[in-house]
Amino acid sequence: MKFPAFLPLCLALFSVGLASSAFAQQEAPAAPPAVPTEPNAEQIVALVQASRAVKDRDLRGVLTKDDLEVPFVVSLKADYIRFGFDNPKQIIHLDLKQKGSELREVVAGSNKPVPEKRYAEGIRGTDLTYD
């Protein structure tokens, strides 16, 4: 049996048509889930107060900026979050009260509230701020 020269071309076009038809019938991929917005301070405090998973936890870490490395310990308790630094000794204490919160700093034997004017100040030369 002899096939005309255009028959292979027709078969190729037919198979491409079937493939594109099958591709067109596939569902479009779902849109990516919406990116959650970052929680505000009140939401963070509420999450910490509500979470018992963070109760009585101490985590060690290092803050870095350029060549600067600042080791610290963060203590997560039911009623507060505390950042502790050495050399010199400094504690930044966020008291999570039922009717608000209070940010305090303990240095050289003094335990005082952190004034709001210092909230944007970098801690120990890093990008971590009191805010």
Side-chain angles (χ1 to χ4, degrees), residues 29-46:
V35 176
T37 59
E38 292 192 22
N40 62 32
E42 290 80 20
Q43 291 168 326
I44 291 171
V45 169

Side-chain angles (χ1 to χ4, degrees), residues 47-59 74-81 96:
L47 286 170
V48 171
Q49 288 173 332
S51 174
R52 294 298 173 206
V54 297
K55 185 177 179 182
D56 297 328
R57 271 257 163 116
D58 290 340
L59 306 170
V74 62
S75 297
L76 304 171
K77 306 294 182 188
D79 299 328
Y80 66 84
I81 300 172
L96 304 170

Side-chain angles (χ1 to χ4, degrees), residues 3-131:
F3 292 102
F6 70 92
L7 187 58
L9 178 62
C10 290
L11 289 173
L13 290 174
F14 180 72
S15 63
V16 168
L18 285 177
S20 64
S21 173
F23 179 77
Q25 290 177 357
Q26 290 179 350
E27 290 185 29
V35 176
T37 59
E38 292 192 22
N40 62 32
E42 290 80 20
Q43 291 168 326
I44 291 171
V45 169
L47 286 170
V48 171
Q49 288 173 332
S51 174
R52 294 298 173 206
V54 297
K55 185 177 179 182
D56 297 328
R57 271 257 163 116
D58 290 340
L59 306 170
R60 296 188 182 281
V62 176
L63 298 173
T64 60
K65 183 174 183 180
D66 300 325
D67 292 334
L68 178 65
E69 291 187 353
V70 180
F72 71 98
V73 175
V74 62
S75 297
L76 304 171
K77 306 294 182 188
D79 299 328
Y80 66 84
I81 300 172
R82 180 180 292 159
F83 287 86
F85 301 93
D86 288 323
N87 300 326
K89 189 92 169 149
Q90 176 187 22
I91 295 172
I92 300 167
H93 181 93
L94 177 61
D95 189 359
L96 304 170
K97 300 176 180 181
Q98 289 294 337
K99 296 185 180 190
S101 59
E102 181 181 29
L103 185 63
R104 301 187 68 81
E105 182 177 36
V106 180
V107 287
S110 116
N111 182 349
K112 297 180 182 176
V114 176
E116 286 186 31
K117 66 182 179 184
R118 291 187 56 207
Y119 281 11
E121 182 182 306
I123 298 172
R124 303 235 171 176
T126 69
D127 290 331
L128 178 68
T129 64
Y130 293 92
D131 194 29

